[in-house]
PDB file of all heavy atoms in Angstrom:
ATOM      1  N   ILE A  23     -75.143 -64.399 -70.684  1.00  0.00           N
ATOM      2  CA  ILE A  23     -73.925 -63.898 -71.017  1.00  0.00           C
ATOM      3  C   ILE A  23     -73.427 -64.440 -72.438  1.00  0.00           C
ATOM      4  O   ILE A  23     -73.507 -65.693 -72.608  1.00  0.00           O
ATOM      5  CB  ILE A  23     -72.818 -64.360 -70.082  1.00  0.00           C
ATOM      6  CG1 ILE A  23     -73.170 -63.842 -68.645  1.00  0.00           C
ATOM      7  CG2 ILE A  23     -71.394 -63.980 -70.400  1.00  0.00           C
ATOM      8  CD1 ILE A  23     -72.229 -64.172 -67.479  1.00  0.00           C
ATOM      9  N   PHE A  24     -73.135 -63.721 -73.323  1.00  0.00           N
ATOM     10  CA  PHE A  24     -72.726 -63.855 -74.746  1.00  0.00           C
ATOM     11  C   PHE A  24     -71.162 -63.948 -74.661  1.00  0.00           C
ATOM     12  O   PHE A  24     -70.685 -62.690 -74.548  1.00  0.00           O
ATOM     13  CB  PHE A  24     -73.262 -62.985 -75.750  1.00  0.00           C
ATOM     14  CG  PHE A  24     -74.797 -63.087 -75.925  1.00  0.00           C
ATOM     15  CD1 PHE A  24     -75.656 -62.608 -74.936  1.00  0.00           C
ATOM     16  CD2 PHE A  24     -75.292 -63.749 -76.863  1.00  0.00           C
ATOM     17  CE1 PHE A  24     -77.066 -62.782 -74.984  1.00  0.00           C
ATOM     18  CE2 PHE A  24     -76.709 -63.860 -77.160  1.00  0.00           C
ATOM     19  CZ  PHE A  24     -77.531 -63.330 -76.142  1.00  0.00           C
ATOM     20  N   VAL A  25     -70.398 -64.938 -74.800  1.00  0.00           N
ATOM     21  CA  VAL A  25     -69.016 -65.076 -74.808  1.00  0.00           C
ATOM     22  C   VAL A  25     -68.553 -65.081 -76.204  1.00  0.00           C
ATOM     23  O   VAL A  25     -68.919 -66.060 -76.875  1.00  0.00           O
ATOM     24  CB  VAL A  25     -68.426 -66.154 -73.923  1.00  0.00           C
ATOM     25  CG1 VAL A  25     -66.925 -66.081 -73.942  1.00  0.00           C
ATOM     26  CG2 VAL A  25     -69.052 -65.880 -72.539  1.00  0.00           C
ATOM     27  N   SER A  26     -67.801 -64.139 -76.675  1.00  0.00           N
ATOM     28  CA  SER A  26     -67.153 -64.189 -78.083  1.00  0.00           C
ATOM     29  C   SER A  26     -65.623 -64.543 -77.740  1.00  0.00           C
ATOM     30  O   SER A  26     -64.880 -63.631 -77.546  1.00  0.00           O
ATOM     31  CB  SER A  26     -67.290 -62.714 -78.756  1.00  0.00           C
ATOM     32  OG  SER A  26     -66.559 -62.896 -79.889  1.00  0.00           O
ATOM     33  N   CYS A  27     -65.251 -65.800 -78.158  1.00  0.00           N
ATOM     34  CA  CYS A  27     -64.015 -66.196 -77.929  1.00  0.00           C
ATOM     35  C   CYS A  27     -63.585 -67.138 -79.278  1.00  0.00           C
ATOM     36  O   CYS A  27     -63.871 -68.304 -79.260  1.00  0.00           O
ATOM     37  CB  CYS A  27     -63.783 -67.028 -76.687  1.00  0.00           C
ATOM     38  SG  CYS A  27     -62.058 -67.590 -76.375  1.00  0.00           S
ATOM     39  N   PRO A  28     -62.845 -66.566 -80.243  1.00  0.00           N
ATOM     40  CA  PRO A  28     -62.788 -67.264 -81.505  1.00  0.00           C
ATOM     41  C   PRO A  28     -62.010 -68.637 -81.335  1.00  0.00           C
ATOM     42  O   PRO A  28     -62.292 -69.604 -81.967  1.00  0.00           O
ATOM     43  CB  PRO A  28     -61.945 -66.316 -82.375  1.00  0.00           C
ATOM     44  CG  PRO A  28     -62.547 -65.052 -81.828  1.00  0.00           C
ATOM     45  CD  PRO A  28     -62.525 -65.240 -80.375  1.00  0.00           C
ATOM     46  N   ILE A  29     -60.950 -68.590 -80.491  1.00  0.00           N
ATOM     47  CA  ILE A  29     -59.914 -69.628 -80.274  1.00  0.00           C
ATOM     48  C   ILE A  29     -59.854 -70.019 -78.802  1.00  0.00           C
ATOM     49  O   ILE A  29     -59.296 -69.208 -78.033  1.00  0.00           O
ATOM     50  CB  ILE A  29     -58.676 -69.426 -80.957  1.00  0.00           C
ATOM     51  CG1 ILE A  29     -58.868 -69.269 -82.390  1.00  0.00           C
ATOM     52  CG2 ILE A  29     -57.759 -70.646 -80.736  1.00  0.00           C
ATOM     53  CD1 ILE A  29     -57.455 -68.829 -83.203  1.00  0.00           C
ATOM     54  N   LEU A  30     -60.517 -71.087 -78.303  1.00  0.00           N
ATOM     55  CA  LEU A  30     -60.358 -71.533 -76.990  1.00  0.00           C
ATOM     56  C   LEU A  30     -59.069 -71.912 -76.560  1.00  0.00           C
ATOM     57  O   LEU A  30     -58.326 -72.462 -77.214  1.00  0.00           O
ATOM     58  CB  LEU A  30     -61.312 -72.645 -76.706  1.00  0.00           C
ATOM     59  CG  LEU A  30     -62.801 -72.372 -76.946  1.00  0.00           C
ATOM     60  CD1 LEU A  30     -63.706 -73.563 -76.744  1.00  0.00           C
ATOM     61  CD2 LEU A  30     -63.368 -71.346 -75.958  1.00  0.00           C
ATOM     62  N   ASN A  31     -58.725 -71.491 -75.162  1.00  0.00           N
ATOM     63  CA  ASN A  31     -57.424 -71.948 -74.710  1.00  0.00           C
ATOM     64  C   ASN A  31     -57.808 -72.229 -73.088  1.00  0.00           C
ATOM     65  O   ASN A  31     -58.965 -72.141 -72.639  1.00  0.00           O
ATOM     66  CB  ASN A  31     -56.363 -70.953 -74.799  1.00  0.00           C
ATOM     67  CG  ASN A  31     -56.706 -69.552 -74.217  1.00  0.00           C
ATOM     68  OD1 ASN A  31     -57.472 -69.512 -73.257  1.00  0.00           O
ATOM     69  ND2 ASN A  31     -56.319 -68.467 -74.839  1.00  0.00           N
ATOM     70  N   SER A  32     -56.719 -72.499 -72.345  1.00  0.00           N
ATOM     71  CA  SER A  32     -56.954 -72.941 -71.004  1.00  0.00           C
ATOM     72  C   SER A  32     -57.519 -71.808 -70.159  1.00  0.00           C
ATOM     73  O   SER A  32     -58.494 -71.956 -69.325  1.00  0.00           O
ATOM     74  CB  SER A  32     -55.706 -73.442 -70.330  1.00  0.00           C
ATOM     75  OG  SER A  32     -54.616 -72.424 -70.378  1.00  0.00           O
ATOM     76  N   ASN A  33     -57.235 -70.443 -70.411  1.00  0.00           N
ATOM     77  CA  ASN A  33     -57.677 -69.329 -69.770  1.00  0.00           C
ATOM     78  C   ASN A  33     -59.210 -69.198 -70.138  1.00  0.00           C
ATOM     79  O   ASN A  33     -59.943 -68.995 -69.159  1.00  0.00           O
ATOM     80  CB  ASN A  33     -57.034 -68.105 -70.024  1.00  0.00           C
ATOM     81  CG  ASN A  33     -55.472 -68.217 -69.411  1.00  0.00           C
ATOM     82  OD1 ASN A  33     -55.277 -68.682 -68.510  1.00  0.00           O
ATOM     83  ND2 ASN A  33     -54.585 -67.515 -70.326  1.00  0.00           N
ATOM     84  N   SER A  34     -59.624 -69.226 -71.302  1.00  0.00           N
ATOM     85  CA  SER A  34     -61.009 -69.033 -71.686  1.00  0.00           C
ATOM     86  C   SER A  34     -61.899 -70.215 -71.103  1.00  0.00           C
ATOM     87  O   SER A  34     -62.935 -70.027 -70.747  1.00  0.00           O
ATOM     88  CB  SER A  34     -61.123 -68.942 -73.174  1.00  0.00           C
ATOM     89  OG  SER A  34     -60.641 -69.945 -73.828  1.00  0.00           O
ATOM     90  N   ARG A  35     -61.316 -71.408 -71.149  1.00  0.00           N
ATOM     91  CA  ARG A  35     -62.056 -72.587 -70.536  1.00  0.00           C
ATOM     92  C   ARG A  35     -62.379 -72.288 -68.991  1.00  0.00           C
ATOM     93  O   ARG A  35     -63.379 -72.662 -68.563  1.00  0.00           O
ATOM     94  CB  ARG A  35     -61.292 -73.922 -70.824  1.00  0.00           C
ATOM     95  CG  ARG A  35     -61.488 -74.453 -72.159  1.00  0.00           C
ATOM     96  CD  ARG A  35     -61.005 -75.841 -72.041  1.00  0.00           C
ATOM     97  NE  ARG A  35     -59.573 -76.065 -71.973  1.00  0.00           N
ATOM     98  CZ  ARG A  35     -58.729 -75.936 -72.744  1.00  0.00           C
ATOM     99  NH1 ARG A  35     -59.018 -75.605 -73.962  1.00  0.00           N
ATOM    100  NH2 ARG A  35     -57.422 -76.127 -72.449  1.00  0.00           N
ATOM    101  N   ALA A  36     -61.334 -71.846 -68.373  1.00  0.00           N
ATOM    102  CA  ALA A  36     -61.481 -71.590 -67.025  1.00  0.00           C
ATOM    103  C   ALA A  36     -62.598 -70.570 -66.626  1.00  0.00           C
ATOM    104  O   ALA A  36     -63.295 -70.631 -65.843  1.00  0.00           O
ATOM    105  CB  ALA A  36     -60.123 -71.157 -66.335  1.00  0.00           C
ATOM    106  N   LEU A  37     -62.539 -69.493 -67.550  1.00  0.00           N
ATOM    107  CA  LEU A  37     -63.702 -68.542 -67.400  1.00  0.00           C
ATOM    108  C   LEU A  37     -64.917 -69.007 -67.705  1.00  0.00           C
ATOM    109  O   LEU A  37     -65.981 -68.812 -66.929  1.00  0.00           O
ATOM    110  CB  LEU A  37     -63.429 -67.329 -68.413  1.00  0.00           C
ATOM    111  CG  LEU A  37     -64.523 -66.423 -68.688  1.00  0.00           C
ATOM    112  CD1 LEU A  37     -64.779 -65.507 -67.494  1.00  0.00           C
ATOM    113  CD2 LEU A  37     -64.352 -65.614 -69.894  1.00  0.00           C
ATOM    114  N   LEU A  38     -65.214 -69.881 -68.777  1.00  0.00           N
ATOM    115  CA  LEU A  38     -66.365 -70.450 -69.030  1.00  0.00           C
ATOM    116  C   LEU A  38     -66.899 -71.477 -67.862  1.00  0.00           C
ATOM    117  O   LEU A  38     -68.032 -71.380 -67.569  1.00  0.00           O
ATOM    118  CB  LEU A  38     -66.366 -71.190 -70.427  1.00  0.00           C
ATOM    119  CG  LEU A  38     -66.039 -70.367 -71.526  1.00  0.00           C
ATOM    120  CD1 LEU A  38     -65.623 -71.154 -72.841  1.00  0.00           C
ATOM    121  CD2 LEU A  38     -67.338 -69.661 -71.878  1.00  0.00           C
ATOM    122  N   GLN A  39     -65.998 -72.139 -67.372  1.00  0.00           N
ATOM    123  CA  GLN A  39     -66.273 -73.185 -66.321  1.00  0.00           C
ATOM    124  C   GLN A  39     -66.807 -72.389 -65.137  1.00  0.00           C
ATOM    125  O   GLN A  39     -67.753 -72.787 -64.392  1.00  0.00           O
ATOM    126  CB  GLN A  39     -65.116 -73.875 -65.915  1.00  0.00           C
ATOM    127  CG  GLN A  39     -65.541 -75.199 -65.004  1.00  0.00           C
ATOM    128  CD  GLN A  39     -66.353 -76.223 -65.611  1.00  0.00           C
ATOM    129  OE1 GLN A  39     -66.126 -76.776 -66.544  1.00  0.00           O
ATOM    130  NE2 GLN A  39     -67.623 -76.207 -65.150  1.00  0.00           N
ATOM    131  N   ALA A  40     -66.089 -71.275 -64.768  1.00  0.00           N
ATOM    132  CA  ALA A  40     -66.558 -70.473 -63.594  1.00  0.00           C
ATOM    133  C   ALA A  40     -67.886 -69.817 -63.777  1.00  0.00           C
ATOM    134  O   ALA A  40     -68.732 -69.809 -62.919  1.00  0.00           O
ATOM    135  CB  ALA A  40     -65.442 -69.376 -63.474  1.00  0.00           C
ATOM    136  N   LEU A  41     -68.183 -69.437 -65.029  1.00  0.00           N
ATOM    137  CA  LEU A  41     -69.467 -68.816 -65.330  1.00  0.00           C
ATOM    138  C   LEU A  41     -70.544 -69.993 -65.194  1.00  0.00           C
ATOM    139  O   LEU A  41     -71.630 -69.796 -64.745  1.00  0.00           O
ATOM    140  CB  LEU A  41     -69.552 -68.261 -66.745  1.00  0.00           C
ATOM    141  CG  LEU A  41     -68.606 -66.976 -66.785  1.00  0.00           C
ATOM    142  CD1 LEU A  41     -68.739 -66.647 -68.437  1.00  0.00           C
ATOM    143  CD2 LEU A  41     -69.157 -65.852 -65.958  1.00  0.00           C
ATOM    144  N   VAL A  42     -70.215 -71.104 -65.764  1.00  0.00           N
ATOM    145  CA  VAL A  42     -71.254 -72.258 -65.738  1.00  0.00           C
ATOM    146  C   VAL A  42     -71.560 -72.595 -64.217  1.00  0.00           C
ATOM    147  O   VAL A  42     -72.739 -72.804 -63.860  1.00  0.00           O
ATOM    148  CB  VAL A  42     -70.847 -73.482 -66.523  1.00  0.00           C
ATOM    149  CG1 VAL A  42     -71.720 -74.557 -66.244  1.00  0.00           C
ATOM    150  CG2 VAL A  42     -70.767 -73.113 -68.026  1.00  0.00           C
ATOM    151  N   ASP A  43     -70.407 -72.740 -63.469  1.00  0.00           N
ATOM    152  CA  ASP A  43     -70.584 -73.166 -62.081  1.00  0.00           C
ATOM    153  C   ASP A  43     -71.342 -72.146 -61.426  1.00  0.00           C
ATOM    154  O   ASP A  43     -71.947 -72.431 -60.193  1.00  0.00           O
ATOM    155  CB  ASP A  43     -69.186 -73.346 -61.483  1.00  0.00           C
ATOM    156  CG  ASP A  43     -68.389 -74.573 -61.985  1.00  0.00           C
ATOM    157  OD1 ASP A  43     -69.059 -75.354 -62.727  1.00  0.00           O
ATOM    158  OD2 ASP A  43     -67.211 -74.606 -61.854  1.00  0.00           O
ATOM    159  N   SER A  44     -71.415 -70.900 -61.732  1.00  0.00           N
ATOM    160  CA  SER A  44     -72.126 -69.792 -61.087  1.00  0.00           C
ATOM    161  C   SER A  44     -73.599 -69.670 -61.613  1.00  0.00           C
ATOM    162  O   SER A  44     -74.330 -68.764 -61.297  1.00  0.00           O
ATOM    163  CB  SER A  44     -71.421 -68.400 -61.225  1.00  0.00           C
ATOM    164  OG  SER A  44     -70.045 -68.512 -60.785  1.00  0.00           O
ATOM    165  N   SER A  45     -73.991 -70.661 -62.289  1.00  0.00           N
ATOM    166  CA  SER A  45     -75.277 -70.696 -62.757  1.00  0.00           C
ATOM    167  C   SER A  45     -75.770 -69.705 -63.806  1.00  0.00           C
ATOM    168  O   SER A  45     -76.967 -69.395 -63.811  1.00  0.00           O
ATOM    169  CB  SER A  45     -76.230 -70.804 -61.548  1.00  0.00           C
ATOM    170  OG  SER A  45     -75.980 -72.036 -60.823  1.00  0.00           O
ATOM    171  N   PHE A  46     -74.835 -68.990 -64.440  1.00  0.00           N
ATOM    172  CA  PHE A  46     -75.250 -68.132 -65.435  1.00  0.00           C
ATOM    173  C   PHE A  46     -75.744 -68.882 -66.781  1.00  0.00           C
ATOM    174  O   PHE A  46     -75.195 -69.966 -66.942  1.00  0.00           O
ATOM    175  CB  PHE A  46     -74.109 -67.195 -65.829  1.00  0.00           C
ATOM    176  CG  PHE A  46     -73.692 -66.118 -64.707  1.00  0.00           C
ATOM    177  CD1 PHE A  46     -72.519 -66.318 -64.108  1.00  0.00           C
ATOM    178  CD2 PHE A  46     -74.499 -65.080 -64.482  1.00  0.00           C
ATOM    179  CE1 PHE A  46     -72.152 -65.533 -62.982  1.00  0.00           C
ATOM    180  CE2 PHE A  46     -74.192 -64.129 -63.495  1.00  0.00           C
ATOM    181  CZ  PHE A  46     -73.069 -64.348 -62.728  1.00  0.00           C
ATOM    182  N   HIS A  47     -76.492 -68.240 -67.511  1.00  0.00           N
ATOM    183  CA  HIS A  47     -76.972 -68.709 -68.801  1.00  0.00           C
ATOM    184  C   HIS A  47     -76.001 -68.325 -69.856  1.00  0.00           C
ATOM    185  O   HIS A  47     -75.979 -67.165 -70.320  1.00  0.00           O
ATOM    186  CB  HIS A  47     -78.342 -68.317 -69.121  1.00  0.00           C
ATOM    187  CG  HIS A  47     -79.061 -68.995 -70.332  1.00  0.00           C
ATOM    188  ND1 HIS A  47     -80.017 -68.416 -71.036  1.00  0.00           N
ATOM    189  CD2 HIS A  47     -78.681 -70.146 -70.918  1.00  0.00           C
ATOM    190  CE1 HIS A  47     -80.366 -69.241 -72.017  1.00  0.00           C
ATOM    191  NE2 HIS A  47     -79.469 -70.352 -71.928  1.00  0.00           N
ATOM    192  N   VAL A  48     -75.077 -69.206 -70.214  1.00  0.00           N
ATOM    193  CA  VAL A  48     -73.888 -68.853 -71.142  1.00  0.00           C
ATOM    194  C   VAL A  48     -74.095 -69.254 -72.531  1.00  0.00           C
ATOM    195  O   VAL A  48     -74.238 -70.545 -72.806  1.00  0.00           O
ATOM    196  CB  VAL A  48     -72.613 -69.438 -70.472  1.00  0.00           C
ATOM    197  CG1 VAL A  48     -71.357 -68.932 -71.301  1.00  0.00           C
ATOM    198  CG2 VAL A  48     -72.391 -68.917 -69.078  1.00  0.00           C
ATOM    199  N   ARG A  49     -73.797 -68.370 -73.471  1.00  0.00           N
ATOM    200  CA  ARG A  49     -73.784 -68.792 -74.783  1.00  0.00           C
ATOM    201  C   ARG A  49     -72.455 -68.487 -75.333  1.00  0.00           C
ATOM    202  O   ARG A  49     -71.928 -67.339 -75.290  1.00  0.00           O
ATOM    203  CB  ARG A  49     -74.766 -67.880 -75.708  1.00  0.00           C
ATOM    204  CG  ARG A  49     -76.330 -68.188 -75.319  1.00  0.00           C
ATOM    205  CD  ARG A  49     -76.972 -67.132 -76.012  1.00  0.00           C
ATOM    206  NE  ARG A  49     -78.553 -67.374 -75.962  1.00  0.00           N
ATOM    207  CZ  ARG A  49     -79.222 -67.043 -74.909  1.00  0.00           C
ATOM    208  NH1 ARG A  49     -78.783 -66.488 -73.841  1.00  0.00           N
ATOM    209  NH2 ARG A  49     -80.573 -67.371 -74.947  1.00  0.00           N
ATOM    210  N   LEU A  50     -71.701 -69.478 -75.698  1.00  0.00           N
ATOM    211  CA  LEU A  50     -70.329 -69.416 -76.204  1.00  0.00           C
ATOM    212  C   LEU A  50     -70.384 -69.353 -77.809  1.00  0.00           C
ATOM    213  O   LEU A  50     -70.911 -70.181 -78.497  1.00  0.00           O
ATOM    214  CB  LEU A  50     -69.453 -70.636 -75.886  1.00  0.00           C
ATOM    215  CG  LEU A  50     -68.173 -70.741 -76.522  1.00  0.00           C
ATOM    216  CD1 LEU A  50     -67.204 -69.588 -76.141  1.00  0.00           C
ATOM    217  CD2 LEU A  50     -67.544 -72.140 -76.174  1.00  0.00           C
ATOM    218  N   PHE A  51     -69.752 -68.324 -78.202  1.00  0.00           N
ATOM    219  CA  PHE A  51     -69.491 -68.141 -79.754  1.00  0.00           C
ATOM    220  C   PHE A  51     -68.003 -68.193 -79.986  1.00  0.00           C
ATOM    221  O   PHE A  51     -67.275 -67.596 -79.537  1.00  0.00           O
ATOM    222  CB  PHE A  51     -69.965 -66.829 -80.202  1.00  0.00           C
ATOM    223  CG  PHE A  51     -71.560 -66.579 -79.962  1.00  0.00           C
ATOM    224  CD1 PHE A  51     -72.016 -66.305 -78.789  1.00  0.00           C
ATOM    225  CD2 PHE A  51     -72.292 -66.804 -81.135  1.00  0.00           C
ATOM    226  CE1 PHE A  51     -73.328 -66.204 -78.557  1.00  0.00           C
ATOM    227  CE2 PHE A  51     -73.786 -66.625 -80.894  1.00  0.00           C
ATOM    228  CZ  PHE A  51     -74.185 -66.317 -79.667  1.00  0.00           C
ATOM    229  N   SER A  52     -67.709 -69.381 -80.911  1.00  0.00           N
ATOM    230  CA  SER A  52     -66.308 -69.569 -81.179  1.00  0.00           C
ATOM    231  C   SER A  52     -66.228 -70.133 -82.550  1.00  0.00           C
ATOM    232  O   SER A  52     -67.151 -70.330 -83.264  1.00  0.00           O
ATOM    233  CB  SER A  52     -65.791 -70.584 -80.168  1.00  0.00           C
ATOM    234  OG  SER A  52     -64.397 -70.804 -80.314  1.00  0.00           O
ATOM    235  N   SER A  53     -64.913 -70.479 -82.906  1.00  0.00           N
ATOM    236  CA  SER A  53     -64.754 -71.091 -84.264  1.00  0.00           C
ATOM    237  C   SER A  53     -65.057 -72.558 -84.156  1.00  0.00           C
ATOM    238  O   SER A  53     -65.877 -73.283 -84.755  1.00  0.00           O
ATOM    239  CB  SER A  53     -63.429 -70.826 -84.848  1.00  0.00           C
ATOM    240  OG  SER A  53     -62.308 -71.246 -83.819  1.00  0.00           O
ATOM    241  N   ILE A  54     -64.215 -73.153 -83.217  1.00  0.00           N
ATOM    242  CA  ILE A  54     -64.370 -74.705 -82.979  1.00  0.00           C
ATOM    243  C   ILE A  54     -64.229 -74.877 -81.529  1.00  0.00           C
ATOM    244  O   ILE A  54     -63.560 -74.465 -80.662  1.00  0.00           O
ATOM    245  CB  ILE A  54     -62.965 -75.461 -83.653  1.00  0.00           C
ATOM    246  CG1 ILE A  54     -63.126 -75.312 -85.073  1.00  0.00           C
ATOM    247  CG2 ILE A  54     -63.116 -76.921 -83.159  1.00  0.00           C
ATOM    248  CD1 ILE A  54     -62.008 -75.776 -85.849  1.00  0.00           C
ATOM    249  N   ALA A  55     -65.334 -75.627 -80.962  1.00  0.00           N
ATOM    250  CA  ALA A  55     -65.392 -75.993 -79.614  1.00  0.00           C
ATOM    251  C   ALA A  55     -65.971 -77.443 -79.567  1.00  0.00           C
ATOM    252  O   ALA A  55     -66.919 -77.623 -80.141  1.00  0.00           O
ATOM    253  CB  ALA A  55     -66.205 -75.129 -78.799  1.00  0.00           C
ATOM    254  N   VAL A  56     -65.181 -78.329 -78.860  1.00  0.00           N
ATOM    255  CA  VAL A  56     -65.605 -79.800 -78.827  1.00  0.00           C
ATOM    256  C   VAL A  56     -65.821 -80.238 -77.499  1.00  0.00           C
ATOM    257  O   VAL A  56     -65.117 -79.901 -76.622  1.00  0.00           O
ATOM    258  CB  VAL A  56     -64.712 -80.614 -79.756  1.00  0.00           C
ATOM    259  CG1 VAL A  56     -64.661 -80.147 -81.202  1.00  0.00           C
ATOM    260  CG2 VAL A  56     -63.406 -80.618 -79.159  1.00  0.00           C
TER     261      VAL A  56
END
């Protein structure tokens, strides 16, 4: 899964966490992520 999310927020973090918890291979593309 290639996720294009320029500016992270609580909703996108929840999505990403759910994808990771479901064992998908996730690539996040963003401006700043720490």
Side-chain angles (χ1 to χ4, degrees):
I23 302 180
F24 294 72
V25 179
S26 174
C27 181
I29 299 177
L30 294 173
N31 57 33
S32 58
N33 292 330
S34 56
R35 277 196 299 276
L37 166 72
L38 291 167
Q39 188 64 65
L41 293 176
V42 170
D43 291 345
S44 299
S45 300
F46 290 110
H47 189 202
V48 182
R49 294 171 171 83
L50 168 65
F51 295 79
S52 190
S53 56
I54 295 172
V56 299

